[in-house]
Amino acid sequence: MTAPWWRSAVVYQIYPRSFLDTDGDGVGDLEGIRRRLDHLTWLGVDALWLSPIYPSPMADFGYDVADHRDVDPVFGDLAAFDRLVTEAHDRGLRVLLDWVPNHTSDRHPWFVAARSSRHDPQRDWYIWRDRPTNWTSAFGTGAAWTRDEATDQYYLHHFLPQQPDLNWANPEVVEAMHGVLYFWLDRGVDGFRADVVHLLGRDPAFPDDPPERVGSSRVGTHDEPVTHALLRGIRGMLDGYAGDRVMVGEVNLADSAAIAAYYGRGDELHLAFNFGLLFAPWDAARWREVIAEVLAAYTPADAWPTWVLSNHDQPRHRTRYGSAGRARAAAVALLTLPGTPFLYAGEELGLAHAEIPPERALDPDGRDGCRAPIPWQPGPAHGWASAQPWLPWPPEPDAHSAARLREDPGSILHLYRRLLAARRASPALTGGEFAWLDAPPGVLAYTRTTGQDRRTVLVNHTDDSQPTGLDGAHEVVVSSRGEGDRRTLAPSQALLLRS
Ligand code: NOJ
C-alpha cells in the first residue's frame, strides 16, 4: 500500500490578506496568490493552505465566517478561486482551505435567524442558556457568554462575542457543516485545515469551571469524548468522497497523548497540528523533550506527526529564537523530522516579527506582527499594487524581499529550497525510521533511515563550535550556513548529511 500524499508533503500556509495585493486596496487577494504560484513551485512545496477567504465582517480577520459558500470581495470571487485551484493543480500543487466549524460570524444568516426569536427553527443551531456558566473566552475579552437582549438569553462564544459557537449536538448543524465541505470538495479542493476542531463537543451538563481555572480560556483544556464521534462522521464523509482528501485539525491541547487521540484508530483526523516547537525556546534539551514526547505519544497510535515553527497566531520564530542563524538551523530540523511540516509564508524569507505601532494595531488578540505583508520586491510597494498595505511591512523588507533573496544563493530562501529538494530526493527523510544519536550537550542529533538510504541531522543550539564526531563516511548534503564541515558544527549551524 502506498502512503497517502500528505504524509510526504510539505504544506505552505498563506494568510491571504498578507500575501500579495493586486487591486490596490492594500489587502492581499486570490489573484495575488495565483500570480505567485511560481514562487511556490520554485521553492518546492507540495500544498498550500489558505487561511479563511469567506465573506466576513473581519472581526477575527476571516475566522468569523458570514457565508461558507462564497469568497469575500476583498479577496476576489468564486471565479478567481476556481482559477487559482486550476492553476495550482496544473503545477502539481494541492489546495487546502480553512474550515471553521466551531463558530460562525454573528452576521451569518444562521445566527441572524437563531437570534430573531426563541422559537426560530434555527435557534438550536447555537448554544443558548438562561444563565451563563463562569467560562471565559480565548482572547481575554471576558465572559464566553453574551446576553442577547431581544430574546433575553445568553449565547456561547469561545472567541469574540461576534463569533457565536455552533451547536454540534444538533444533527442539522452537522449536516449543514458537512454540506460546506462537499461544496468546496466539488470545487476541487484537496482538503481542509479545521479550526479549533477539538472544541466541537460539549459536556451536556455545562459545568462551571473549577475556581482555580476561572478567568482562563477553556480552549487549551476543552477535550470532550463526544468530539471523537463527530470527527468520525467527518472522516467517513471525506473518505467516502474521492479518497485522498485530507483534514488537518487544529487541536489546541498541550498534551501530546491527548492530541494523538484525535487521530482515532485511523478514523478521525488524518493529521493534527502539534505546536510543541511553536512554543519551545531555542534550547536543544527542550527540543529533544518535545520531539521525544510527540513520537512516544503518536507512534503507538499510528498518528503521523506534524511540525510547525510559525503561523498566523504566534510571533515569528526568527524573532522568537533570536537570530537569523538560529532560524536557518531550525529550518533544517523542521524539514527533516518524521512527519508533515507546515511552513508559514515568509519564513522562507527569514522574516522577523513586525513591530506594529499602537495606532495601526488591528487584531483583537495582538497578532498583527506575524501577519505583516510579504515583501516580494525591493522598493516602496514591494511588488504590491499599493504601497500602503493593511499592516506595516516587516523589518528590512528590501533585504528580505523574495526577489533579493533569490539572487543570493547563500540566502535563507535558497536554503529552504535546497532542504525541500533534499527531502524530496530521500525516502529516509519523508518516511524513514527515526533514531537519536549521541551528541554534545546543546546539539540535537538524529538519523532517518529507510533501507540503504540514511540521513544524519545535527542541529547546534549553542553559540559555540561543537565537534560532530562524524567520520569520512558522512557527506554534507545541506548546511544551514557556509559549506559545512562534517567534523565541526559552527555556532547555530545545522547539517544534513548522507549516511
Ligand atoms: C484559531 C485560529 O488559528 C485563530 O486565528 C482564530 O482566531 C481562532 N482559531 C478562532 O477561530
Side-chain angles (χ1 to χ4, degrees):
M1 222 177 78
T2 53
W5 64 268
W6 40 265
R7 286 204 170 203
S8 55
V10 175
V11 184
Y12 183 96
Q13 180 192 357
I14 292 179
Y15 196 70
R17 297 182 70 85
S18 303
F19 203 61
L20 175 63
D21 171 28
T22 62
D23 60 8
D25 64 359
V27 176
D29 43 50
L30 294 177
E31 173 60 11
I33 300 171
R34 192 189 68 79
R35 290 194 201 164
R36 286 295 176 278
L37 288 175
D38 286 342
H39 171 77
L40 303 181
T41 41
W42 176 86
L43 185 62
V45 298
D46 304 286
L48 39 126
W49 143 36
L50 307 183
S51 282
I53 57 168
Y54 316 107
S56 166
M58 304 283 170
D60 189 14
F61 293 104
Y63 286 94
D64 47 327
V65 178
D67 178 356
H68 293 100
R69 296 164 184 247
D70 205 346
V71 170
D72 194 282
V74 80
F75 298 126
D77 55 19
L78 284 170
F81 178 77
D82 292 342
R83 239 183 345 264
L84 173 62
V85 172
T86 305
E87 292 196 22
H89 285 169
D90 287 348
R91 288 168 171 79
L93 289 167
R94 313 221 187 207
V95 180
L96 311 188
L97 280 187
D98 224 300
W99 178 60
V100 189
N102 177 68
H103 44 268
T104 66
S105 163
D106 61 347
R107 314 266 183 88
H108 196 293
W110 299 344
F111 189 72
V112 172
R115 86 185 309 175
S116 68
S117 139
R118 285 196 187 201
H119 307 293
D120 186 87
Q122 277 179 297
R123 180 73 169 181
D124 182 54
W125 283 39
Y126 294 83
I127 298 170
W128 299 93
R129 309 264 303 170
D130 291 331
R131 271 194 204 82
T133 62
N134 62 2
W135 303 349
T136 40
S137 81
F139 293 147
T141 42
W145 299 91
T146 290
R147 183 168 158 266
D148 178 59
E149 289 192 13
T151 58
D152 191 23
Q153 275 189 317
Y154 293 82
Y155 64 87
L156 179 64
H157 51 85
H158 271 97
F159 296 89
L160 298 173
Q162 297 95 317
Q163 294 168 293
D165 281 17
L166 283 164
N167 177 17
W168 277 76
N170 182 331
E172 289 173 5
V173 168
V174 175
E175 199 188 318
M177 289 306 288
H178 285 201
V180 171
L181 295 174
Y182 280 122
F183 176 83
W184 294 102
L185 288 168
D186 289 346
R187 292 198 105 85
V189 308
D190 302 284
F192 301 92
R193 175 267 188 193
D195 191 63
V196 288
V197 78
H198 63 297
L199 295 184
L200 299 189
R202 316 278 164 199
D203 181 340
F206 285 85
D208 269 335
D209 280 335
E212 68 276 11
R213 283 213 34 82
V214 172
S216 44
S217 157
R218 310 178 73 244
V219 171
T221 55
H222 184 110
D223 183 17
E224 290 298 328
V226 62
T227 304
H228 296 281
L230 295 170
L231 289 176
R232 284 192 291 276
I234 293 164
R235 175 65 175 262
M237 180 248 127
L238 279 179
D239 285 354
Y241 197 80
D244 62 350
R245 304 302 201 267
V246 67
M247 180 167 281
V248 50
E250 184 194 21
V251 178
N252 220 335
L253 299 170
D255 183 65
S256 295
I259 297 173
Y262 282 76
Y263 289 73
R265 297 195 175 90
D267 56 359
E268 295 185 31
L269 294 173
H270 299 92
L271 294 171
F273 282 122
N274 142 43
F275 293 145
L277 296 180
L278 189 67
F279 295 115
W282 185 247
D283 174 85
R286 183 63 198 130
W287 275 51
R288 186 170 167 143
E289 253 170 42
V290 167
I291 295 163
E293 184 194 299
V294 167
L295 298 182
Y298 284 42
T299 308
D302 196 24
W304 189 252
T306 61
W307 302 101
V308 180
L309 298 179
S310 282
N311 67 18
H312 65 294
D313 288 333
Q314 298 299 328
R316 283 193 177 268
H317 68 271
R318 157 74 182 77
T319 301
R320 288 195 334 265
Y321 298 154
S323 78
R326 291 174 179 178
R328 297 175 68 118
V332 177
L334 174 71
L335 293 166
T336 58
L337 285 168
T340 301
F342 284 75
L343 310 186
Y344 179 49
E347 75 178 69
E348 80 278 24
L349 308 178
L351 294 186
H353 201 68
E355 287 295 328
I356 310 291
E359 69 279 7
R360 292 204 59 188
L362 296 173
D363 180 54
D365 202 31
R367 297 165 294 184
D368 298 313
C370 57
R371 301 171 178 180
I374 303 290
W376 293 100
Q377 279 158 30
H382 299 297
W384 282 48
S386 149
Q388 283 298 330
W390 70 294
L391 285 174
W393 298 104
E396 300 178 83
D398 283 355
H400 287 275
S401 67
R404 273 283 164 79
L405 298 179
R406 209 159 149 170
E407 285 162 12
D408 171 8
S411 70
I412 186 166
L413 178 60
H414 280 271
L415 171 65
Y416 267 86
R417 184 169 189 247
R418 278 197 295 279
L419 284 166
L420 285 158
R423 186 185 157 86
R424 200 165 328 104
S426 166
L429 287 180
T430 46
E433 294 294 318
F434 173 93
W436 292 110
L437 276 184
D438 288 338
V443 175
L444 199 71
Y446 50 87
T447 56
R448 303 289 315 278
T449 313
T450 297
Q452 299 300 307
D453 188 38
R454 182 178 147 101
R455 298 287 181 276
T456 297
V457 179
L458 302 170
V459 185
N460 183 3
H461 284 249
T462 74
D463 296 326
D464 304 310
S465 295
Q466 300 283 351
T468 66
L470 297 181
D471 58 28
H474 292 86
E475 177 203 337
V476 176
V477 180
V478 180
S479 160
S480 71
R481 49 184 285 192
E483 293 275 287
D485 167 356
R486 68 171 178 273
R487 284 155 310 180
T488 313
L489 286 163
S492 309
Q493 186 182 31
L495 294 177
L496 165 63
L497 304 109
R498 185 173 290 114
S499 186

